[in-house]
Amino acid sequence: SAGVSFADTPPLAVKDTYRVGFAQMESNNPWRIAETKSFHDTAKSCGWELIATDAAGSAAKQVADVDSMIAQGIDVLFLPPREEKPLLPAVMKAKAAGIPTFLIDRSVDSNIAQAGEHFVAFLGSDFIEQGNRAAEWLIDNFAGEKGVIVELEGTTGSSPANDRKKGFDDRILQDDRFEIVASQTGDFARDLGRQVMETLLQAHPDVNVVYAHNDEMAIGAIQALELAGRKPGVDITVVSIDGTRDALQAIIDGKMGVTVESSPFFGPLACDVMKKYAAGEKIPGWVKVEDRVFTIENAADHIDEAY
Ligand code: AHR
């Protein structure tokens, strides 16, 4: 493809089959499992010989997994970086090894690593907008006089935790009915969401809104609230992000108000963008995924396709 500029990222040949690395960060929630499955489901039709790893929640292991993929001679790397800074070495090493990298669903520190230079592109949602939309649903639907909010944050140092916090907090604090009385990490995990909610409920018994950065923590929080005799959906409003099956069911059951979609089905998009890149097309630095919003209006229509 003479004359085509790839900026500084390594080129990719047009071939029938590719040795592809997918370095998953963890598999402790349905979202991650659905994402990994999406890559496996896409492999055959996209000509991928897929090497998939699971870092089990350790950024250090995720970096080591990428090292071993590089040693195995992958042609292309798909990387969902668990945290923004600790995964920078993996991005830099892949670039140094001449392997084009696509960041999947989460990003790395943009002060240091840039799309079109250190990696080809980031494929994923606008997490700030997701937080905005959760806040806007609350502003439009909260019937009480004073909203006392507990926020359950995602993995500390991850791009979705940073951006979903910013998007929600900035928007909700423009309405002076609302106050965020506590904000603590639940590491995007159901169990920790439940435990943190238990503790925060004791410190803030007047809480009447929970904003969770993902559905797993929201479901954990609902369990803690019910154990404490609270009635989610009646005396406490729960808002969240993802669109898992359990969250859609909680909406149908009247326990959760809204979940802003964050799709895990990246396999087909990754295939499409990779092939375009190999063919010499210019790839935007951010291939943005458009998200929907699930409420009582439409949850039942989507639960069958949920994960
Ligand atoms: O990066 C996307 C987030 O990661 C999802 O919201 C969450 O459920 C997952 O662990």
Side-chain angles (χ1 to χ4, degrees):
S1 49
V4 176
S5 161
F6 292 97
D8 280 321
T9 50
L12 185 63
V14 176
K15 305 194 287 182
D16 289 338
T17 61
Y18 294 90
R19 185 169 261 217
V20 166
F22 176 64
Q24 183 56 284
M25 66 183 76
E26 59 206 358
S27 300
N28 65 340
N29 82 44
W31 198 101
R32 289 286 143 203
I33 292 166
E35 184 183 57
T36 302
K37 183 172 184 304
S38 179
F39 276 84
H40 282 290
D41 289 350
T42 305
K44 199 161 178 245
S45 63
C46 200
W48 291 344
E49 182 205 314
L50 191 64
I51 302 174
T53 52
D54 175 2
S58 157
K61 180 170 185 319
Q62 201 178 15
V63 173
D65 287 343
V66 171
D67 280 342
S68 117
M69 289 173 177
I70 295 171
Q72 290 174 73
I74 51 169
D75 298 309
V76 53
L77 173 64
F78 293 117
L79 176 66
R82 188 170 197 271
E83 292 135 61
E84 288 197 90
K85 287 182 201 294
L87 268 298
L88 284 167
V91 173
M92 299 307 183
K93 285 186 204 175
K95 156 103 195 206
I99 298 161
T101 296
F102 298 85
L103 297 184
I104 305 296
D105 92 71
R106 294 189 189 176
S107 48
V108 290
D109 185 349
S110 61
N111 292 312
I112 307 212
Q114 261 101 48
E117 187 181 345
H118 303 97
F119 57 94
V120 178
F122 164 61
L123 281 52
S125 295
D126 185 335
F127 295 136
I128 292 183
E129 195 185 323
Q130 290 175 344
N132 277 170
R133 292 170 89 184
E136 266 151 28
W137 184 90
L138 199 55
I139 288 167
D140 292 345
N141 291 276
F142 182 76
E145 255 169 46
K146 185 100 194 89
V148 181
I149 304 173
V150 157
E151 178 167 354
L152 299 176
E153 299 175 13
T155 297
T156 304
S158 72
S159 62
N162 291 340
D163 292 353
R164 287 172 183 170
K165 178 170 184 61
K166 183 174 176 21
F168 180 87
D169 293 9
D170 286 357
R171 186 73 191 87
I172 207 71
L173 296 177
Q174 288 168 13
D175 183 328
D176 42 287
R177 286 181 298 160
F178 295 101
E179 184 193 358
I180 300 169
V181 291
S183 188
Q184 200 172 306
T185 185
D187 202 22
F188 281 129
R190 185 182 292 214
D191 261 17
L192 206 58
R194 184 176 45 72
Q195 288 168 37
V196 171
M197 190 69 235
E198 247 169 52
T199 309
L200 291 181
L201 198 53
Q202 282 167 17
H204 305 279
D206 57 338
V207 56
N208 58 5
V209 177
V210 174
Y211 166 50
H213 288 189
N214 81 344
D215 285 343
E216 281 295 279
M217 294 189 295
I219 298 292
I222 287 173
Q223 291 170 347
L225 290 164
E226 287 182 328
L227 267 174
R230 301 291 302 266
K231 292 196 168 47
V234 178
D235 61 19
I236 184 153
T237 304
V238 180
V239 302
S240 173
I241 295 171
D242 269 354
T244 65
R245 180 180 296 269
D246 287 353
L248 295 186
Q249 189 60 53
I251 290 174
I252 293 166
D253 295 343
K255 296 179 181 181
M256 197 186 286
V258 68
T259 184
V260 178
E261 184 183 31
S262 196
S263 172
F265 301 114
F266 279 96
L269 181 65
C271 173
D272 183 54
V273 174
M274 182 206 88
K275 294 219 154 145
K276 285 180 172 151
Y277 183 68
E281 268 187 50
K282 184 145 176 46
I283 309 298
W286 183 358
V287 179
K288 201 163 159 175
V289 174
E290 295 302 330
D291 300 313
R292 298 168 290 184
V293 169
F294 299 124
T295 65
I296 195 65
E297 307 291 319
N298 63 352
D301 300 336
H302 295 287
I303 193 156
D304 288 340
E305 81 222 22
Y307 49 94

